[in-house]
Amino acid sequence: MTLEVGLVLGIIGITMVLFSIEKIAPDVIALGIIVILVLSGLLPLERALAGIGSEAFILVLGLLVMTAGLEKTGVVDMAGDWILRKAGHDSSRFLLIVMLAAAGLSALMSNTGATAFFLPIVIGMARNMKVSRSKLLIPLAFASILASSVTLIATTTNIVVSGLMEDEGMLPLGMFELTPIGLVILILGIVYMLTIGKKLIPDRPYEEPFSAEASVRNYLTELVVPERSNLCGKTLAQAALGRDLDLTVLRISKDKRSFLVPTANTILSAGDVLIVEGNRDGLLNIQEKTGLELKPRSDIAYQEVQSEEISLFEVILLPRSPLIGRTLKRLDFRSHYGLQVLGINRSGRTIRRKLSEVRLSVGDQLLLHGNRTSAMALDQSSAFRLLHAIRTEERDPKRAVVSGAVFLGALALAALNLISVPIAAIIGMLLVFILGCITPEEAYQMVNWRVLILIGGMLALGIAIQDTGTAAYLSERIITFTHGMDSKWLLGGFFLLSMLLSQPMSNQAAAVVVVPIAIQTALQLGLNPRSFAVMIALGASCSFLTPLEPSCMMVYGPGNYRFIDFLKVGMPLTVIIFFTALIMVPIIWPL
């Protein structure tokens, strides 16, 4: 083992640990990898940055912009309306239609996007049909993941694998090259979920984490600003009720008839009546510490903190949200967005105190209080998804048709091999801008830049694995260890390796680490490297065992699931996919 190989293996090990402990954002880890590879001399700068300018990077960017156009023009919403009309109130029929629709949408855009779109629809329908949402949300997440191998663009993992194949001098994956095996996996997966899987899913009643009566009313009271109070003339920010006493001001009455929406710059005056929410200790200490007069009322109604424009909203954070990884204090959330966070629910556990110091994560459910317009604007910008509200943005059928035509046209150009897939994506991206489907500002705001940075950084690690001889070194060790083993089981071993690595790491990162090693192993054994690359693409997207996959993280809290639920339901499904791949891959891509 050379020093360079040892350094690369060390970087891989540290990367896996950092991904596992989740203390540092994945995109930050990816940027750190680029810096370390350059400073250590393992890669020259131009090679380390090659991933950011790669065809895979450009293709993902183009697809993200085009799918943003589909969302902005209402194409995705129209699909949701159609599903609701077809499903009716039969829970079994609804589950089948939602799984098929989520899979169909996921085949053309990211599975996280498909899950995020259908999540509030499924929650609303579960309430209307009086069905436990736990019976519906795992099937939704799993259906979107099952479609990962239906097309090249169904997941960025396929695109990354295709780019790595090109780097090794192989032909890239075709748009529908994975479709034969992808459709079989999808059909088997849906049949499993509707039969065996359905029985394994717990029927766990959903406990509302932010029940209006239980969560807000018990903490409501009135405070009056007395004459000559030292708070007179100060702003709410200067009063520091939240910082010092952990109290939240919900409403302010200046004249006993009208209410103001409190902001950090609201100036307090004598006689102001504040409706606040807080814990007992904070409320008991408020008169001593601030001079405000405490007038507890048992008749303060939940409706008093709501109006036509001011209300409570339950939302869930999406993977591409700019709020992920940041605290409310650092975001200056209330001043910046005009909304107040009253509670955070994470993985079924409600966090109420010191909310300003909580670092937000994918799948967090937030209880917000504030202006309806502000909440709707953040929903449309994909900062979060409203779980109990209907979007009011007007649709433009003409732009929707144009956006859909551009997307399908780009796919057709690539599928017919008239132009390369990255060029088709660039043309599609250009057309949605020129034809007014979406503005560049809107598109770039909706693009998940974290995914792009992660891909760019991890591709740099893939280049280092190849250039330093790490792939060749590891392939020699694997060949020695598996001497005499049937080539099919070696193929299956790489499936399992990529699948297991995708649990602590991202799917793309797992593929980047394993593909160069697998290709070198196949070449040294005289086997078809394409078979191994395809197998790894299938394995890296097989994320059913834990709720760590973003699609699963989004349903974890709303479904009131436990970690073991995913293992119990996902293990048989993973076994089905494994043996399906083990049988079909050598047939379609002979070893």
Side-chain angles (χ1 to χ4, degrees), residues 149-179:
S149 301
V150 173
T151 66
L152 171 65
I153 62 173
T155 173
T156 53
T157 305
N158 295 341
I159 298 171
V160 168
V161 170
S162 182
L164 292 169
M165 292 167 66
E166 281 193 279
D167 291 341
E168 297 289 343
M170 301 164 59
L171 290 175
L173 290 171
M175 179 63 69
F176 300 106
E177 185 174 347
L178 298 174
T179 303

Side-chain angles (χ1 to χ4, degrees), residues 282-328:
L283 294 175
L284 291 174
N285 293 329
I286 192 168
Q287 189 166 3
E288 177 185 348
K289 293 188 176 182
T290 67
L292 294 175
E293 295 181 0
L294 179 63
K295 291 190 175 182
R297 286 172 48 194
S298 61
D299 61 332
I300 297 180
Y302 166 61
Q303 287 77 14
E304 287 193 38
V305 297
Q306 299 198 94
S307 67
E308 185 175 343
E309 286 300 320
I310 307 302
S311 187
L312 293 172
F313 305 91
E314 187 179 348
V315 305
I316 188 166
L317 295 189
L318 305 178
R320 65 187 180 196
S321 172
L323 311 181
I324 300 299
R326 305 174 73 182
T327 64
L328 297 175

Side-chain angles (χ1 to χ4, degrees), residues 2-53:
T2 65
L3 177 61
E4 287 185 334
V5 170
L7 287 174
V8 171
L9 291 176
I11 292 172
I12 293 173
I14 294 172
T15 300
M16 291 178 61
V17 171
L18 291 177
F19 273 120
S20 301
I21 61 179
E22 298 182 325
K23 293 295 184 182
I24 304 176
D27 48 320
V28 176
I29 296 173
L31 290 175
I33 288 172
I34 293 176
V35 172
I36 292 173
L37 291 175
V38 173
L39 294 181
S40 64
L42 292 171
L43 285 181
L45 181 61
E46 60 273 14
R47 289 290 286 165
L49 296 178
I52 297 177

Side-chain angles (χ1 to χ4, degrees), residues 167-328:
D167 291 341
E168 297 289 343
M170 301 164 59
L171 290 175
L173 290 171
M175 179 63 69
F176 300 106
E177 185 174 347
L178 298 174
T179 303
I181 189 169
L183 284 177
V184 172
I185 289 174
L186 175 60
I187 293 170
L188 290 176
I190 290 179
V191 170
Y192 163 79
M193 290 305 302
L194 292 174
T195 54
I196 301 172
K198 187 177 180 180
K199 295 178 181 179
L200 295 175
I201 299 173
D203 188 357
R204 190 173 290 129
Y206 180 69
E207 300 174 4
E208 292 286 349
F210 305 124
S211 167
E213 296 298 324
S215 300
V216 178
R217 192 175 193 177
N218 291 339
Y219 297 96
L220 286 184
T221 192
E222 281 189 348
L223 299 172
V224 179
V225 181
E227 295 284 347
R228 300 186 182 87
S229 169
N230 60 1
L231 296 183
C232 291
K234 289 186 178 182
T235 65
L236 274 179
Q238 293 169 333
L241 299 180
R243 183 192 65 198
D244 295 341
L245 296 172
D246 204 13
L247 299 176
T248 299
V249 180
L250 302 177
R251 301 289 293 276
I252 298 178
S253 173
K254 290 283 187 180
D255 55 12
K256 298 185 180 180
R257 291 188 300 273
S258 61
F259 290 93
L260 296 178
V261 180
T263 67
N265 297 321
T266 299
I267 298 176
L268 299 176
S269 304
D272 286 354
V273 178
L274 284 62
I275 296 181
V276 300
E277 183 265 349
N279 59 24
R280 291 182 180 180
D281 292 339
L283 294 175
L284 291 174
N285 293 329
I286 192 168
Q287 189 166 3
E288 177 185 348
K289 293 188 176 182
T290 67
L292 294 175
E293 295 181 0
L294 179 63
K295 291 190 175 182
R297 286 172 48 194
S298 61
D299 61 332
I300 297 180
Y302 166 61
Q303 287 77 14
E304 287 193 38
V305 297
Q306 299 198 94
S307 67
E308 185 175 343
E309 286 300 320
I310 307 302
S311 187
L312 293 172
F313 305 91
E314 187 179 348
V315 305
I316 188 166
L317 295 189
L318 305 178
R320 65 187 180 196
S321 172
L323 311 181
I324 300 299
R326 305 174 73 182
T327 64
L328 297 175

Side-chain angles (χ1 to χ4, degrees), residues 359-374:
R359 194 175 297 275
L360 300 174
S361 301
V362 175
D364 282 355
Q365 290 174 260
L366 275 58
L367 180 66
L368 303 180
H369 176 260
N371 186 276
R372 185 178 299 272
T373 303
S374 298

